[in-house]
Amino acid sequence: NLIEEMAPLNEAFRKALQRLVSEWQKAIEHAIERAQSKGGVNREHDPKQIAIYITINYNGIRNMGKVFGASSYTVFLREFKKYVTSIN
């Protein structure tokens, strides 16, 4: 909610949110890199792109969950699990 509601209204707040999301994406990126080094994720996949994909999808499902309810989370998680399985 903060991103949607506050980011367009306050430049300093937008930049702070941008830093937080970037840190979150970096943490995911590093986790993917560690998984790649251990053979858990195929090296053909770009860790940075995966991190962006995950954070965008998380944001999307949080919004859709507000509209469609808890069942949308179940559908999302089922498909997300397929995605995660496909990258190893």
Side-chain angles (χ1 to χ4, degrees):
N1 283 346
L2 288 175
I3 291 172
E4 290 175 24
E5 295 174 13
M6 295 299 296
L9 302 177
N10 183 302
E11 183 66 15
F13 198 75
R14 184 190 67 76
K15 286 182 178 182
L17 288 170
Q18 187 177 39
R19 278 192 304 274
L20 287 171
V21 172
S22 293
E23 288 175 18
W24 180 27
Q25 288 175 334
K26 274 288 190 201
I28 295 169
E29 184 178 343
H30 292 309
I32 298 299
E33 289 168 346
R34 283 191 305 276
Q36 285 178 322
S37 71
K38 295 177 181 179
V41 173
N42 190 312
R43 290 189 181 272
E44 73 181 30
H45 300 289
D46 182 340
K48 183 175 184 173
Q49 295 303 313
I50 293 171
I52 291 169
Y53 179 79
I54 289 171
T55 56
I56 288 171
N57 277 290
Y58 178 80
N59 185 54
I61 191 55
R62 295 289 298 166
N63 286 324
M64 292 299 102
K66 294 173 190 173
V67 174
F68 296 107
S71 64
S72 61
Y73 297 113
T74 303
V75 172
F76 169 78
L77 290 172
R78 184 179 331 117
E79 294 304 314
F80 186 69
K81 183 176 179 181
K82 289 178 189 176
Y83 169 73
V84 170
T85 302
S86 76
I87 64 173
N88 59 4

